[in-house]
Amino acid sequence: MDGRRGARFRRAPVTAAVLGAALLVAGCSSGGGEGDGGDRKEGAGARITQQPREADPFWVNPDGTAARQVAAYEKAGRKGDAEQIRKIAEQPTGEWIGPENPEQEARGFTEAADRAGRTALLVLYNIPHRDCGQYSRGGAADGDAYRAWIDAVARGIGDRPATVILEPDAVLHLVDGCTPEEFHEERYDLLEGAVTTLKSLKNTKVYLDAGNAGWGRPDQVVEPLKRAGVDPADGFAVNVSNFYSTPDSLAYGKQLSAEAGGKHFVIDTSRNGNGPYTDGDPDERWCNPPGRALGEPPTTRTADPLVDAYLWVKRPGESDGECKGGPKAGQWWASYALALARASR
């Protein structure tokens, strides 16, 4: 995602793996950084459990990167650091479906969540011409490849419960001119088609990304959101991978909702505990900013009836990109994760 524009980050593709005979989950990032948890048995050894269903119905991956980091720190005798990272490991975070095995990954996450009596939180980020050539450039090769990918994700989800955050930045980059005009009509068609496909599933909720409180005016994005299929969707998502406070995100979302016929929305609170970074190069304030903190834990008990949930869409501890000493976008960065956790209230 282009650092000059909106919510930022992107993660590396995941790969699905079987935990024992029953639990199919995915490895989180390519990681490999400081004290990386390594094998999956250590992740399971971190004793990660689900949050209470009545307040937080979303699935906690017991073998996520943060869980493996907890286990690695405990093994190394770093008990204090392990407890800090546990603040991340014990919360449900978005599972970003990779380009190679979408059906297998979507099935693995939703089956594991369903067995735990929870809902999988999935993020789909594979639109062609993604991120305008910035840190997270890439995406499907063309429209047909994207449609096939969405179909595979839908087959993997099936009738199991899932909440999907659809294509961070895809609509905003149509509005701000970052995506060339020649690709606009196809992108609208692909997004609308993705919403239609996913909403045909029995228990899937879909939220289209709609930017953040620092991006611009809500009236600039409402018509593009409608063209992209927000009306049949369950709503839209704000602050994905960004740092704007929950009150600011709520105000932005309510303004946009009023323009969009009262649509509901979700807020990414994963790293917004201290609000946005205001120092340094304005073009890269979004990228691995120092002094940030974890935000409100994921929950469906929110401050406004229009807000369906606070979610951790961005996975705290994964890099925004190769800036400020960070690894590639989406890779686990243990020291940054520790800083986020230590700064949280």
Side-chain angles (χ1 to χ4, degrees):
M1 306 169 87
D2 185 342
R4 295 167 296 179
R5 291 176 170 83
R8 338 273 58 155
F9 133 95
R10 264 355 8 113
R11 60 154 302 172
V14 295
T15 54
V18 176
L19 281 180
L23 179 61
L24 179 63
V25 297
C28 297
S29 287
S30 49
E34 171 199 345
D36 186 7
D39 67 37
R40 298 180 181 283
K41 292 181 180 178
E42 286 192 2
R47 304 176 305 281
I48 302 302
T49 58
Q50 302 300 316
Q51 293 291 327
R53 186 186 293 108
E54 60 272 15
D56 185 357
F58 302 102
W59 178 63
V60 177
N61 185 342
D63 190 50
T65 307
R68 286 182 273 133
Q69 186 71 74
V70 169
Y73 279 153
E74 289 180 342
K75 185 176 181 180
R78 297 172 61 175
K79 302 299 184 182
D81 290 343
E83 289 310 300
Q84 291 295 333
I85 297 300
R86 188 176 290 278
K87 295 177 183 178
I88 298 172
E90 291 187 338
Q91 298 297 336
T93 58
E95 301 291 354
W96 297 66
I97 302 297
E100 300 300 328
N101 299 296
E103 182 173 352
Q104 181 184 16
E105 288 180 13
R107 179 175 294 112
F109 290 130
T110 55
E111 285 184 348
D114 196 41
R115 278 192 291 272
R118 301 301 194 277
T119 297
L121 176 61
L122 307 179
V123 189
L124 304 189
Y125 184 65
N126 196 38
I127 202 77
H129 319 292
R130 189 180 69 193
D131 201 30
C132 309
Q134 301 299 310
Y135 287 125
S136 299
R137 59 186 174 271
D142 55 33
D144 288 341
Y146 184 77
R147 293 182 186 94
W149 183 79
I150 288 291
D151 287 344
V153 171
R155 289 194 300 272
I157 295 172
D159 287 343
R160 291 175 291 278
T163 292
V164 174
I165 307 302
L166 184 61
E167 295 298 342
D169 278 358
V171 172
L172 292 192
H173 283 168
L174 295 173
V175 178
D176 65 16
C178 181
T179 300
E181 181 72 30
E182 63 192 281
F183 303 129
H184 285 203
E185 288 303 319
E186 178 187 60
R187 178 166 295 186
Y188 282 123
D189 180 69
L190 293 176
L191 291 171
E192 186 178 33
V195 171
T196 299
T197 297
L198 294 166
K199 285 305 299 174
S200 71
L201 303 176
K202 183 177 179 180
N203 293 303
T204 295
K205 293 184 176 181
V206 181
Y207 295 88
L208 268 169
D209 181 65
N212 58 72
W215 175 79
R217 302 190 317 273
D219 61 0
Q220 294 174 281
V221 73
V222 63
E223 288 305 321
L225 273 178
K226 289 181 177 180
R227 289 185 63 186
V230 76
D231 285 343
D234 293 272
F236 56 89
V238 302
N239 203 49
V240 170
S241 302
N242 217 300
F243 302 87
Y244 289 93
S245 71
T246 301
D248 287 348
S249 297
L250 176 60
Y252 173 81
K254 290 184 73 171
Q255 291 176 49
L256 181 52
S257 174
E259 299 274 354
K263 295 299 290 187
H264 285 213
F265 58 100
V266 296
I267 300 173
D268 185 353
T269 60
S270 57
R271 305 182 299 175
N272 74 349
N274 283 342
Y277 186 56
T278 57
D279 295 327
D281 181 354
D283 284 347
E284 288 211 342
R285 286 174 177 167
W286 59 272
C287 191
N288 300 323
R292 301 310 92 195
L294 303 174
E296 289 97 333
T299 182
T300 53
R301 295 178 177 174
T302 68
D304 193 279
L306 284 173
V307 183
D308 289 343
Y310 300 146
L311 302 174
W312 284 12
V313 181
K314 160 70 177 180
R315 301 157 67 89
E318 292 185 353
S319 176
D320 292 318
E322 295 171 276
C323 60
K324 301 182 182 69
K328 291 182 178 179
Q331 290 192 0
W332 176 254
W333 189 7
S335 59
Y336 196 81
L338 276 172
L340 287 169
R342 287 171 178 155
S344 63
R345 299 175 178 86

